[in-house]
Amino acid sequence: MTPTNTPTVFVVDDDASIRTAIQGLLKSAGLRCESFATPQEFLRHIRPNGPSCLVLDVRLRGANGLDFQRELSDAGILIPIIFITGHGDIPMTVKAMKSGAMEFLTKPFRDQELLYAIHQALDRDRTSRQRQDEIAELQKRYALLTAREREVMGLVVSGKLNKQIASDLGTSEITVKIHRGHVMRKMQADSLAQLVKMAAKLELSSGKT
């Protein structure tokens, strides 16, 4: 059984010799690899939950790698993509990179070029997953707040003093202090600065910024 933090490199190329060569290269570099002849095979496969990236041929039999890139994005499958092709051109490269591709390598490329791109892609995915996990944890904590505690948190992180918050909410300063204490405890924030950072991350996760 593969540990959830083990990185996996997926390869989609209809050329068996290319798949075999890349698998051999990645194995020699100590990287786990799974390869597929078609995008459909890749989609049917249950992907591990650890960091991953996709090495994708641009021109596949009956399919187009750039179209598949868009399909993955539309389906919410956010995986760093490294395109490889034997027929690259500048417009194609620009289109791929604008759509979020990590790299666009033209065959024949050096092994080190591919390995470098793969390590960069895995690092990006690892960071993205850590950020998603952190935001999910913050959302769980935020869900524990009452409606009034959320109001207080919003006013606190906006820079208002307890006296001002009490005036805005039509309550006493002591009540605000109690709510503020609950917010800090439930959000597991050790300082106002940390609470402000948490609020910013929650706003990013909800697409407000």
Side-chain angles (χ1 to χ4, degrees), residues 144-158:
L144 297 174
L145 302 183
T146 64
R148 178 48 61 96
E149 287 167 354
R150 292 181 186 183
E151 283 183 296
V152 170
M153 177 176 170
L155 293 168
V156 166
V157 299
S158 73

Side-chain angles (χ1 to χ4, degrees), residues 72-207:
L72 290 174
S73 178
D74 292 344
I77 301 175
L78 305 177
I79 181 171
I81 297 175
I82 299 160
F83 279 107
I84 57 175
T85 180
H87 311 280
D89 56 45
I90 293 176
M92 186 185 294
T93 304
V94 170
K95 182 178 179 181
M97 301 303 282
K98 280 187 174 180
S99 298
M102 281 290 300
E103 187 58 90
F104 197 102
L105 301 176
T106 303
K107 304 172 187 175
F109 45 79
R110 293 184 294 112
D111 290 350
Q112 200 55 43
E113 285 182 300
L114 179 59
L115 287 174
Y116 179 78
I118 286 172
H119 283 298
Q120 291 287 99
L122 291 175
D123 285 344
R124 176 195 280 188
D125 197 47
R126 189 177 290 108
T127 300
S128 175
R129 286 170 180 272
Q130 289 172 347
R131 181 176 176 278
Q132 288 169 4
D133 289 344
E134 183 181 359
I135 290 174
E137 175 59 30
L138 289 177
Q139 288 173 332
K140 286 181 183 179
R141 297 177 195 176
Y142 188 72
L144 297 174
L145 302 183
T146 64
R148 178 48 61 96
E149 287 167 354
R150 292 181 186 183
E151 283 183 296
V152 170
M153 177 176 170
L155 293 168
V156 166
V157 299
S158 73
K160 292 197 173 185
L161 303 174
N162 289 345
K163 184 177 180 179
Q164 295 172 308
I165 296 172
S167 176
D168 287 349
L169 298 180
T171 188
S172 70
E173 199 171 336
I174 293 176
T175 300
V176 170
K177 287 182 179 179
I178 293 172
H179 285 313
R180 184 168 180 158
H182 290 167
V183 169
M184 298 296 284
R185 177 176 56 81
K186 290 180 180 180
M187 292 303 296
Q188 300 177 31
D190 297 325
S191 65
L192 174 58
Q194 190 176 23
L195 188 68
V196 170
K197 289 179 181 178
M198 289 177 176
K201 288 176 181 176
L202 286 168
E203 288 175 354
L204 287 171
S205 73
S206 60

